[in-house]
Amino acid sequence: HMDTSNEDQKVEIKEDPVQLSIFAHRFMGIAEQMGRTLARTAISVNIKERLDFSCALFTNDGGLVANAPHIPVHLGAMQSAVRFQVEYWNSEGREGINEGDVFVSNHPQLAGGSHLPDITVITPVFHEGKILFFVASRGHHSDIGGISPGSMPPHSTNLEEEGARIVAFKLVKNGKFQEKGITDILVNQEYGGTRNLKDNLSDLRAQVAANNSGIRLLHQLVEENGLDTVEAYMHFIQ
């Protein structure tokens, strides 16, 4: 019998317009479901009532695939936030991206953020030890420190006065929520720490949970359709 390696058996997946439409809706549905999880599990008025958040899926290099139309200003902008984390953690001398990691950032100039109260939580989606996708949720936090409550002071002259600046931090490491580390970042600031740490921590946990719901649904999608098909359509959609 002929010994054909897996490489030969890889059939090239051609783009089918009907399938493309189905996958586009499935991906968007996953992002929307993440949003529903976030709205249900968050405790702050900003996220629960005002629904000031966005959820999205990305390819493994951080390219945007689907962004639920929650808050228009976040649309498309999260791609640079995800790409930055991918580059940051994979660069020389850093720990890399491991299973059980979740990243957090909000820095507008350095890490693809919008304004500081919008904190982005990014989770890699692993399958058999390899990163397949990223999921992310960005939520508006009512206060993250700085010179005035609400962390959007009209008279600030530098970014430090507006609150905590997070370039890259592992909010979850080896599956453990790094409460002490993120508390230090939010509380210990030059111009005063967050005035509402309890909500910050609860909402960040809710963002992690929202990402996890997206991961579960993505794994389901891969089980139903096979990895090659899901990956192919992810790129077709872009």
Side-chain angles (χ1 to χ4, degrees):
H1 68 281
M2 277 168 62
D3 178 40
T4 52
S5 70
N6 286 347
E7 290 311 301
D8 300 343
Q9 292 170 354
K10 261 206 172 160
V11 182
E12 199 197 336
I13 295 162
K14 297 218 172 5
E15 192 175 325
D16 173 75
V18 176
Q19 284 288 81
L20 187 67
S21 177
I22 291 170
F23 273 102
H25 283 96
R26 286 294 295 270
F27 290 136
M28 191 55 90
I30 291 173
E32 285 170 353
Q33 184 57 48
M34 288 166 66
R36 281 192 285 277
T37 303
L38 184 50
R40 277 202 310 271
T41 42
I43 62 167
S44 74
V45 172
N46 271 316
I47 293 181
K48 213 171 193 52
E49 308 285 337
R50 284 207 312 116
L51 305 179
D52 190 343
F53 61 77
S54 284
C55 301
L57 324 173
F58 303 83
T59 52
N60 58 8
D61 61 352
L64 181 65
V65 174
N67 201 156
H70 295 125
I71 294 283
V73 73
H74 299 166
L75 292 177
M78 281 203 284
Q79 175 169 299
S80 50
V82 176
R83 288 216 153 122
F84 175 80
Q85 296 300 316
V86 174
E87 282 165 27
Y88 179 91
W89 292 105
N90 284 330
S91 59
E92 197 68 30
R94 300 218 171 90
E95 328 170 352
I97 297 176
N98 309 305
E99 254 174 287
D101 283 348
V102 179
F103 312 111
V104 65
S105 71
N106 72 342
H107 201 297
Q109 285 103 336
L110 303 175
S114 43
H115 58 176
L116 291 180
D118 281 338
I119 299 183
T120 307
V121 173
I122 299 164
T123 312
V125 184
F126 280 87
H127 179 79
E128 294 170 1
K130 197 169 119 250
I131 297 174
L132 295 189
F133 321 108
F134 284 91
V135 290
S137 51
R138 174 173 283 184
H140 184 108
H141 288 245
S142 59
D143 198 287
I144 52 155
I147 56 177
S148 67
S151 306
M152 291 191 282
H155 307 301
S156 54
T157 53
N158 60 40
L159 197 60
E160 284 74 31
E161 294 179 351
E162 298 191 8
R165 299 154 322 285
I166 309 163
V167 175
F169 178 71
K170 290 194 176 183
L171 181 64
V172 177
K173 202 171 168 179
N174 303 325
K176 290 185 190 65
F177 189 81
Q178 302 295 305
E179 187 167 325
K180 190 191 174 309
I182 192 67
T183 298
D184 284 348
I185 291 172
L186 291 167
V187 171
N188 299 325
Q189 300 179 49
E190 232 170 306
Y191 294 99
T194 175
R195 298 158 184 84
N196 199 345
L197 181 66
K198 193 165 93 345
D199 276 18
N200 293 138
L201 293 175
S202 297
D203 285 351
L204 286 169
R205 286 180 192 275
Q207 286 178 257
V208 172
N211 287 3
N212 287 341
S213 74
I215 292 173
R216 260 197 320 279
L217 293 166
L218 275 169
H219 281 311
Q220 243 170 300
L221 193 62
V222 169
E223 267 166 49
E224 283 169 37
N225 299 280
L227 179 56
D228 293 343
T229 307
V230 174
E231 277 195 313
Y233 276 93
M234 218 165 197
H235 289 285
F236 291 152
I237 281 166
Q238 292 182 311

